[in-house]
Amino acid sequence: MSVRTRIAPSPTGDPHVGTAYMALFNWAFARANGGQFLLRIEDTDAERSTVESEQSIYDALHWLGLDWDEGPDVGGPNAPYRQSERQDTYSEHIETLVENKHAFYCFCSRERLDEVRQAQQKAKETTRYDGHCFGLADEDVARRVAAGESHVIRLVVPNEGDCIFEDRLRGEISIPFTQVDMQVLIKADGMPTYHFAVVVDDHLMAITHIIRGEEWISSVPKHKLLYEYLGWQLPELIHLPLLRNSDQSKLSKRKNPTGINYYRALGILPESLLNYLALMGYSMPDEREIFSRPEMVEVFDIDRVSVRGPIFDQEKLSWMNGQYLRALSATEFAERVVDWFSPERLRDLIPLVQERVEKLSDLVPIADYMLGSRAALKEQDFALDKLERADVVRILYHTSVRLEQVQNWDRDELMLICQTAAEKLDYKLRDYLGPLFVAISGRRVSLPLFDSLVYLGPDLSRARIREALDVLKVSGKEKKRLDKELR
Ligand code: GLU
């Protein structure tokens, strides 16, 4: 049987370096074994999924030089590859599960579920569905469904025993069924949950090896039950270690830029980002650190992955990028600069600068902070009229936390966030924006703030505000107090 691997990103937000990391290992394993690599879009969360985000996943992976044999954009024998278009397939399989009493209808209200959870939390028990609707008579179920009562469909989970499975990198893993929730398989809106769709799709798409992040290990019992109930064979499981921040916590945008586009805009070369990601948990048999994609594939051995959480270290990535840049010929280097400073990047900048210049060369000092790094910040830069240090800190901190939750990084949403915050904290909008101008541009006067934020993108904007808070030496205690104020 030919090796088949896949990644299954959700098209929400900016493409994440974690997606590139999973894609690289799935791709390398498939290519090293003469198999196929698939891309499936998990867009069952209709509210958060966007076409733009889906497109930006393709763009980012193409930029990195990865290709796939089947996917929504290239088609293939197992189409459709977008979960939102596979509804009929899921319906067919959920019916089988319900008929065989491997899944059941549940009519519990949100309030009831909350009560159950709170009681379990109080008693320090694992929070899970208590089985209230399990065993309802078929006629009752049929009547309530026909009457249009809101419901979900849940997985039947044994009350005792352990789920035992193999992970190729970790060996045997055992999880007691008492810790496994009676997972919702079909949501009230009729859409499948991740856990159900992933099993159906991986099976029908003949995936042989599931290579994904370790955060999914605890979900394996649910998946394994589904494979057994449906009479299917569980693919081989390979859970890669998660990328981590320098303090060992899971790589998060709160502490680190996580978007592929951030690194791209910074001028990290695709081959060095990929090379760097390849070193996350993996080492070449001869321990060399600089290697290309084809070199990786030539000797790729998934069993060389170490499960200790690799630290995503910006400095090491910069160092590696420097190695790559210096190895280019002058002509290649020039080509890369042109690539990086693409016509699109220039085009987006023109409406902001055209009105403000007298000579073309004025562009450079006006837009320096948009194209390259902004000037290093000093504490005095934040000595602003009408604002004490405490106000500046408060404004920057509030903005930074609020910016983490932004779904659509556009002018209107960003403006609304700042307006709302300014009102809540009782500042004039003008005053509120002052510290942000400095944090983003390094100056008190710059190109329009919201346009600058949009142009720089979420990761870079957040990183600059975080840096500003560092420059202001905001203590943990202060942050705690501000967190309280935010709640
Ligand atoms: N949509 C899931 C994710 O992006 C896929 C997990 C899996 O590979 O099974 O994390």
Side-chain angles (χ1 to χ4, degrees):
M1 198 169 39
S2 144
V3 162
R4 286 169 65 83
T5 63
R6 74 349 179 235
I7 52 161
S10 298
T12 54
D14 257 20
H16 196 279
V17 283
T19 302
Y21 169 61
M22 291 305 152
L24 172 63
F25 280 81
N26 274 280
W27 175 90
F29 186 71
R31 294 289 174 259
N33 288 288
Q36 289 102 43
F37 168 55
L38 282 68
L39 193 154
R40 185 170 70 226
I41 292 289
E42 296 207 333
D43 57 350
T44 51
D45 185 342
E47 237 163 68
R48 297 182 58 226
S49 302
T50 65
V51 238
E52 293 78 26
S53 171
E54 180 179 321
Q55 187 57 46
S56 60
I57 293 173
Y58 303 145
D59 293 345
L61 295 177
H62 280 142
W63 173 70
L64 286 167
L66 298 173
D67 60 335
W68 43 97
D69 305 294
E70 298 173 32
D73 56 336
V74 294
N78 300 286
Y81 293 92
R82 240 179 239 110
Q83 291 189 327
S84 60
E85 296 165 12
R86 298 174 61 77
Q87 199 82 353
D88 294 346
T89 312
Y90 307 125
S91 305
E92 186 188 319
H93 291 96
I94 199 71
E95 270 170 36
T96 315
L97 290 170
V98 171
E99 263 166 38
N100 296 333
K101 303 265 182 262
H102 289 138
F104 62 98
Y105 283 78
C106 167
F107 301 90
C108 290
S109 64
R110 177 102 326 269
E111 294 71 39
R112 178 172 188 280
L113 296 173
D114 285 345
E115 273 168 32
V116 171
R117 187 164 30 84
Q118 279 159 16
Q120 286 168 336
Q121 272 165 350
K122 224 175 183 178
K124 302 222 174 347
E125 291 167 10
T126 313
T127 51
R128 60 201 283 263
Y129 182 65
D130 63 351
H132 184 73
C133 289
F134 178 62
L136 286 179
D138 289 350
E139 307 80 73
D140 284 345
V141 170
R143 184 177 41 77
R144 292 171 76 169
V145 171
E149 203 173 317
S150 168
H151 61 269
V152 299
I153 303 182
R154 289 181 184 273
L155 175 73
V156 173
V157 177
N159 274 329
E160 50 186 24
D162 299 315
C163 175
I164 297 168
F165 57 92
E166 276 287 311
D167 175 274
R168 174 141 167 190
L169 303 175
R170 298 155 207 266
E172 191 176 285
I173 297 176
S174 168
I175 299 179
F177 278 121
T178 47
Q179 281 175 22
V180 181
D181 198 9
M182 295 182 202
Q183 176 65 45
V184 172
L185 302 176
I186 300 288
K187 297 181 274 190
D189 65 2
M191 279 287 205
T193 54
Y194 157 72
H195 300 282
F196 184 47
V198 76
V199 168
V200 171
D201 290 345
D202 283 341
H203 173 74
L204 295 179
M205 295 181 185
I207 299 304
T208 56
H209 296 75
I210 295 181
I211 305 174
R212 64 181 168 196
E214 64 186 319
E215 76 265 39
W216 298 107
I217 292 179
S218 60
S219 302
V220 172
K222 299 170 185 172
H223 302 178
K224 187 163 181 259
L225 279 173
L226 284 167
Y227 277 96
E228 285 166 7
Y229 291 157
L230 291 162
W232 296 341
Q233 194 193 336
L234 184 69
E236 188 162 334
L237 301 173
I238 303 164
H239 289 96
L240 297 182
L242 284 180
L243 305 181
R244 301 198 172 261
N245 300 311
S246 50
D247 62 1
Q248 299 283 344
S249 59
K250 177 178 157 187
L251 189 68
S252 65
K253 59 184 172 196
R254 193 151 200 190
K255 299 190 180 145
N256 249 309
T258 54
I260 300 173
N261 291 335
Y262 165 82
Y263 294 98
R264 184 173 180 176
L266 210 59
I268 298 288
L269 301 178
E271 62 270 40
S272 65
L273 180 56
L274 214 55
N275 186 163
Y276 185 65
L277 289 171
L279 286 178
M280 298 282 96
Y282 186 70
S283 60
M284 290 287 262
D286 61 3
E287 305 280 327
R288 90 193 110 128
E289 290 203 307
I290 307 268
F291 50 86
S292 67
R293 248 180 321 122
E295 284 167 347
M296 179 181 184
V297 168
E298 205 176 310
V299 293
F300 187 69
D301 174 4
I302 193 97
D303 297 310
R304 291 187 61 83
V305 172
S306 139
V307 297
R308 257 171 299 132
I311 307 279
F312 192 88
D313 174 359
Q314 311 272 337
E315 276 174 33
K316 175 101 192 246
L317 171 61
S318 293
W319 168 83
M320 178 168 279
N321 201 53
Q323 302 285 315
Y324 271 91
L325 284 176
R326 285 192 281 278
L328 298 172
S329 71
T331 316
E332 286 165 340
F333 187 93
E335 281 165 8
R336 292 312 187 94
V337 174
V338 174
D339 250 10
W340 169 72
F341 192 52
S342 62
E344 295 85 59
R345 263 173 76 113
L346 186 57
R347 187 196 57 209
D348 293 345
L349 198 58
I350 301 304
L352 302 180
V353 294
Q354 197 167 5
E355 300 279 299
R356 296 176 168 82
V357 297
E358 287 171 346
K359 304 179 287 304
L360 290 177
S361 56
D362 292 339
L363 176 88
V364 179
I366 288 189
D368 59 350
Y369 73 97
M370 300 276 259
L371 303 171
S373 343
R374 62 141 159 57
L377 296 171
K378 296 178 299 302
E379 200 165 347
Q380 307 89 280
D381 296 334
F382 290 96
L384 300 165
D385 293 346
K386 300 198 193 141
L387 297 176
E388 301 288 330
R389 175 190 173 280
D391 297 307
V392 171
V393 167
R394 195 168 172 229
I395 290 170
L396 290 172
Y397 194 76
H398 270 258
T399 315
S400 121
V401 172
R402 284 163 193 264
L403 289 188
E404 269 159 41
Q405 286 130 25
V406 175
Q407 291 277 353
N408 301 314
W409 194 264
D410 62 35
R411 219 177 164 279
D412 292 347
E413 188 159 341
L414 294 170
M415 180 134 77
L416 186 67
I417 284 178
C418 290
Q419 277 167 341
T420 317
E423 218 166 278
K424 258 211 172 119
L425 301 179
D426 204 18
Y427 294 105
K428 284 209 190 89
L429 184 61
R430 226 187 112 93
D431 296 333
Y432 186 91
L433 299 183
L436 296 172
F437 268 100
V438 177
I440 295 297
S441 68
R443 304 197 279 264
R444 291 185 189 186
V445 185
S446 69
L447 296 172
L449 181 69
F450 298 112
D451 293 311
S452 302
L453 291 171
V454 171
Y455 189 82
L456 291 168
D459 275 328
L460 198 51
S461 306
R462 289 185 194 118
R464 287 190 181 175
I465 299 177
R466 267 198 309 268
E467 269 169 43
L469 287 163
D470 286 344
V471 166
L472 289 161
K473 302 193 196 66
V474 182
S475 66
K477 210 162 133 199
E478 263 177 302
K479 285 187 187 163
K480 253 199 201 128
R481 196 175 42 73
L482 289 165
D483 275 331
K484 224 187 226 158
E485 187 176 76
L486 265 154
R487 254 181 262 133

